[in-house]
Amino acid sequence: MNEQELAVLSEIARQIRILIIQMIGRSASGHPGGSLSAVEILTWLYFREMNIDPQNPGLPDRDRFVLSKGHAAPVLYATLAKRGFFPEGLLDRLRQVDSCLQGHPHRLDTPGVEASTGSLGQGLSMASGMAMGLRLSQNPARVYALIGDGESQEGQIWEAAMTSGFRQLTNLCVFLDYNDLQIDGRVSEIKDIRPLREKWESFRWRVHEIDGHDFSQIAAVLAEFRNEKERPTMIVARTVKGKGVSFMENNVNFHGQAPNAQEVTAALGELNHGR
């Protein structure tokens, strides 16, 4: 990846962050922190990695993405809109009555959404089932998923991890958004999920640890995933909750709290200043 490609992706990520702040601010409801922490991951997946076609979202051989931490729907909606699955104007309708953009993704309502998620812990099971079904039907498509670190306290995550490893689902790649903050504090203090590498390896996964905001590192581990022949892939991505907005970064209060009008103005000022 050269400097020009990096600049293009960084600009897309900046625009996605702006859309996240704008839509959550308008609706006065939503989860900014965990949406902002996952921007680079979704930017790379949707603009460089996945085999998708916004004009034909139902292609049988398309790659699938499952947002298991469904409360981070704003980052998914902003990415889908920026990629062309639906007009950006629809983002103004986040969490409104009769809108196709509800607080958690709904696959029957929103173009480009592959799984209805929100009940934490369930998305990895969905992704695992998709990967297994694709392999059984000899479909070359891959499945990508994003899970949360607080979500990883759920037992269903580990049931799906066990199944995926045992079934050697090499077409499954999962990112763990490891920002160490959940709704009521630090993950490491509430119910520590460490050690992560050793746990996932014991469930027969190939484990990588990266900076989740570094496009070069994301690209490198996904290149390894594409050549994986034995195990599903877990990418532990160290991230910053609220990344890109100084007063939101590492601030647990913005897990599920929308910014007020003054905070929206300040956040957009920061994001536009970095242009």
Side-chain angles (χ1 to χ4, degrees):
M1 178 172 54
N2 59 40
E3 291 186 6
Q4 183 178 2
E5 292 171 320
L6 178 60
V8 169
L9 287 170
S10 297
E11 174 60 15
I12 292 171
R14 186 186 71 86
Q15 292 176 15
I16 288 173
R17 285 193 164 93
I18 288 173
L19 292 174
I20 290 170
I21 295 298
Q22 289 175 334
M23 76 172 92
I24 295 178
R26 286 192 198 98
S27 68
S29 179
H31 294 73
S35 296
L36 293 169
S37 67
V39 169
E40 280 76 18
I41 294 170
L42 267 71
T43 298
W44 185 272
L45 287 176
Y46 277 88
F47 288 86
R48 288 298 297 270
E49 186 69 21
M50 294 198 300
N51 174 36
I52 51 175
D53 182 354
Q55 304 306 312
N56 296 284
L59 288 176
D61 63 346
R62 72 192 183 281
D63 291 336
R64 276 75 165 168
F65 174 77
V66 177
L67 181 68
S68 188
K69 44 175 271 181
H71 55 277
V75 67
L76 178 57
Y77 296 157
T79 304
L80 290 171
K82 184 60 66 176
R83 188 65 173 83
F85 281 88
F86 52 81
E88 289 186 21
L90 281 180
L91 299 176
D92 294 345
R93 297 283 297 159
L94 176 70
R95 288 180 174 244
Q96 301 301 306
V97 175
D98 295 328
S99 169
C100 66
L101 304 180
Q102 289 302 308
H104 296 89
H106 193 308
R107 72 175 187 85
L108 299 180
D109 288 343
T110 311
V113 171
E114 296 285 355
S116 299
T117 58
S119 295
L120 292 178
Q122 297 182 0
L124 184 54
S125 293
M126 297 180 195
S128 177
M130 290 178 186
M132 193 179 304
L134 289 169
R135 190 175 68 179
L136 289 172
S137 61
Q138 299 183 329
N139 188 318
R142 298 183 176 96
V143 180
Y144 300 84
L146 180 71
I147 65 174
D149 46 7
E151 180 185 21
S152 296
Q153 297 163 347
E154 299 281 353
Q156 190 170 343
I157 289 288
W158 301 101
E159 294 179 48
M162 186 191 310
T163 298
S164 302
F166 180 73
R167 298 295 180 186
Q168 297 180 293
L169 299 181
T170 57
N171 57 343
L172 175 61
C173 178
V174 179
F175 284 87
L176 170 55
D177 187 3
Y178 191 28
N179 56 48
D180 195 35
L181 285 173
Q182 58 190 98
I183 191 169
D184 45 0
R186 291 217 166 267
V187 175
S188 55
E189 296 172 354
I190 294 168
K191 187 186 292 185
D192 199 351
I193 59 176
R194 296 173 296 182
L196 286 169
R197 175 178 288 277
E198 292 82 353
K199 283 180 179 175
W200 285 93
E201 286 181 340
S202 73
F203 282 86
R204 308 180 191 183
W205 286 63
R206 188 78 65 196
V207 181
H208 305 275
E209 298 179 77
I210 67 168
D211 177 345
H213 302 300
D214 187 320
F215 285 124
S216 296
Q217 293 186 35
I218 295 171
V221 294
L222 287 174
E224 292 191 41
F225 161 63
R226 290 193 298 273
N227 293 315
E228 177 61 48
K229 305 299 182 185
E230 297 179 354
R231 302 179 179 189
T233 294
M234 161 53 62
I235 301 172
V236 179
R238 297 182 302 277
T239 61
V240 175
K241 195 138 189 167
K243 176 69 173 179
V245 179
S246 61
F247 59 88
M248 291 186 180
E249 289 188 354
N250 290 311
N251 186 342
V252 71
N253 292 327
F254 284 101
H255 172 89
Q257 173 181 300
N260 59 35
Q262 292 75 23
E263 289 167 336
V264 168
T265 299
L268 294 178
E270 289 188 16
L271 291 167
N272 284 312
H273 181 71
R275 188 172 186 174

